[in-house]
Amino acid sequence: KILTTNELLAQSALRVLGMAVKQDEETYFVGLMGMIDPPKEGVREAMALCKQAGIRAIMITGDHPLTAEAIGKQIGFEGAVLSGPELEAASEADMRELVKKYTLYARASSAHKVKILKALQANGDIVAMTGDGLNDAPALKQSNVGIAMGSGTDIAIEAGDLVLAKSSLIGVAQAI
């Protein structure tokens, strides 16, 4: 029942937290909480601008695959999601083929982001990466153009080639 509820919440584009309490050496499950982290204003429009410009946008997130798929649909992505365990198992040759098919990646770690970028670059793609966190820094460095969000961590800002003063994806799309 818990797993089914988790999936229903994730399919509704919610990030899901499980809660428990420990009392006298016993741990009791309390419940699940779904939190919404809606896409920022202008993201759907930015995706449309990228598409018009011939830019293939990719979404890489640490979220649950069902959450990633639901959010992806909200902002204009279509297709299946490739998740962390699948990324982990893929060889370099496999990755070069997978990145041709997938635009949504979930449960992705910092290392997975770099693996995706390297596969895209190995296929001859020029890759721009946006990011704002510590986990984005290696991919920002690996990308052809690392775009750090100005509201992000110092490490992400230092890793980026460009820093956006206003953290807006529409600003990235308009600049391109």
Side-chain angles (χ1 to χ4, degrees):
K1 185 176 179 180
I2 293 168
L3 293 175
T4 301
T5 302
N6 179 64
E7 287 187 4
L8 288 171
L9 291 169
Q11 288 171 340
S12 300
L14 299 174
R15 289 186 173 164
V16 184
L17 295 176
M19 295 175 284
V21 73
K22 187 171 185 175
Q23 184 178 24
D24 300 325
E25 306 283 329
E26 293 287 327
T27 303
Y28 300 96
F29 176 75
V30 177
L32 296 172
M33 178 176 77
M35 300 183 319
I36 190 154
D37 184 12
K40 290 184 179 178
E41 187 178 323
V43 171
R44 187 171 184 78
E45 293 81 4
M47 294 299 100
L49 282 173
C50 287
K51 191 173 186 175
Q52 286 175 1
I55 297 166
R56 181 174 174 248
I58 293 173
M59 185 176 99
I60 307 172
T61 180
D63 287 339
H64 187 286
L66 294 173
T67 304
E69 182 178 24
I71 292 170
K73 283 182 182 175
Q74 289 178 8
I75 60 175
F77 284 94
E78 297 175 2
V81 177
L82 194 65
S83 66
E86 296 161 314
L87 290 165
E88 198 67 41
S91 69
E92 285 183 32
D94 292 339
M95 282 303 300
R96 289 185 68 174
E97 293 305 311
L98 291 170
V99 296
K100 293 176 185 177
K101 298 189 295 189
Y102 288 89
T103 57
L104 291 170
Y105 299 88
R107 289 287 190 240
S109 69
S110 183
H112 294 143
K113 292 176 184 183
V114 172
K115 190 173 187 177
I116 293 164
L117 287 171
K118 285 183 175 181
L120 289 163
Q121 290 168 329
N123 287 344
D125 293 328
I126 305 297
V127 182
M129 165 76 181
T130 61
D132 63 0
L134 173 64
N135 64 332
D136 296 320
L140 288 167
K141 268 289 191 222
Q142 175 67 40
S143 66
N144 298 94
V145 181
I147 305 168
M149 302 301 186
S151 60
T153 63
D154 289 343
I155 292 173
I157 290 170
E158 289 175 26
D161 299 304
L162 303 170
V163 179
L164 292 181
K166 183 179 177 192
S167 295
S168 165
L169 194 55
I170 193 77
V172 173
Q174 289 170 336
I176 294 172

